Amino acid sequence: MKACIFDLDGTLTDTLDSLTYSVNETLKEMKLTPITSDECRNFVGNGARVLMEKSLGAAGEADGSRLDEAMEIYGRIFDANCTYLVKPYEGVEEMLAELKRRGTRLAVLSNKPHRQTVKVVEEIFGGEVFDCVQGQQEKIARKPDPEGIYCLLEALQADREECLYVGDSEVDIRTGKNAGVRTVGVAWGFRTREILEDEGAETIIETPEELMEIR
């Protein structure tokens, strides 16, 4: 394993409180009803625009007429609160340290906007753990398109056969399959083990420590 690419939300960091807070502050400013934490959990994974589209639908605004307004408000609120109550999952920091000790090149690939992806990674893990950090950007198609993985493989100077992609959602399983890299699902994130299995995940781990056992 020469390189390991990780999803962020639900894989490395528990960001559900941050996301739910920012969505509900957006809906509050728009004078709409809030969503629940469980609803937010189910809405995340496909980027901020999809998150807000689904949240507006849950709040009774399903026609899309206020989506651009919501995105402007959410972008401002989330930028100020993207690290609010965010914490790494238990065992993640130790796992990353061991991978670094072994010489594995590490990267993050997220559908969270790039600016906030970088802010979260640097505040939670510092600037020295990951070789590359890549959030959603206009010039790169978002997951499950494999373009983001291809860009990171080039930056990490690794072939597909030398890389693991690790994520917690059906979007991540599809992304890894589309890119032709070995993909590991994590059972501690925003989706259930059953959802990952239904998506065809071949390897699912229950704790970060188990990643060390994969060869």
Side-chain angles (χ1 to χ4, degrees):
M1 183 166 52
K2 185 175 181 179
C4 197
I5 302 172
F6 293 91
D7 172 56
L8 183 59
D9 296 351
T11 301
L12 296 175
T13 53
D14 184 353
T15 55
L16 187 59
D17 288 339
S18 167
L19 292 164
T20 304
Y21 175 81
S22 295
V23 168
N24 282 337
E25 285 298 298
T26 299
L27 296 174
K28 180 180 178 182
E29 189 167 321
M30 297 175 71
K31 302 189 183 327
L32 298 172
T33 57
I35 63 170
T36 67
S37 179
D38 283 341
E39 285 177 318
C40 189
R41 180 191 301 274
N42 291 324
F43 295 165
V44 299
N46 285 286
R49 193 169 185 86
V50 174
L51 170 60
M52 284 312 308
E53 183 178 28
K54 291 182 176 180
S55 299
L56 287 173
E61 295 282 342
D63 64 0
S65 62
R66 302 187 71 184
L67 182 55
D68 287 341
E69 175 192 356
M71 287 301 297
E72 186 280 323
I73 297 171
Y74 178 77
R76 166 170 45 81
I77 290 174
F78 186 59
D79 189 57
N81 295 281
C82 63
T83 60
Y84 174 69
L85 296 178
V86 172
K87 56 186 180 295
Y89 285 102
E90 184 177 355
V92 162
E93 290 176 298
E94 293 81 0
M95 171 194 69
L96 295 173
E98 175 60 19
L99 288 172
K100 292 288 283 186
R101 189 192 68 77
R102 295 182 183 186
T104 307
R105 297 172 187 170
L106 305 179
V108 168
L109 176 62
S110 176
N111 274 345
K112 185 195 295 287
H114 181 71
R115 173 182 166 85
Q116 286 81 38
T117 297
V118 173
K119 285 179 70 171
V120 170
V121 169
E122 291 187 350
E123 179 160 330
I124 302 301
F125 300 105
E128 305 300 321
V129 174
F130 293 96
D131 299 279
C132 301
V133 176
Q134 187 170 292
Q136 186 177 346
Q137 306 173 61
E138 288 187 8
K139 62 182 179 180
I140 301 174
R142 64 177 171 85
K143 300 183 292 184
D145 191 286
E147 185 180 4
I149 286 184
Y150 295 154
C151 290
L152 286 173
L153 287 175
E154 183 175 353
L156 296 169
Q157 298 181 321
D159 295 327
R160 286 182 291 180
E161 297 78 13
E162 301 172 311
C163 180
L164 286 181
Y165 177 65
V166 184
D168 73 302
S169 75
E170 68 280 7
V171 175
D172 294 308
I173 303 303
R174 292 173 201 159
T175 303
K177 286 184 175 181
N178 290 341
V181 299
R182 186 175 179 186
T183 305
V184 178
V186 306
W188 60 78
F190 293 166
R191 302 293 194 268
T192 64
R193 185 183 187 95
E194 289 71 27
I195 288 175
L196 299 178
E197 290 174 344
D198 288 345
E199 193 60 43
E202 296 180 0
T203 304
I204 301 174
I205 58 176
E206 296 286 343
T207 66
E209 291 79 8
E210 291 180 48
L211 191 66
M212 301 297 98
E213 301 169 12
I214 295 176
R215 296 291 184 268

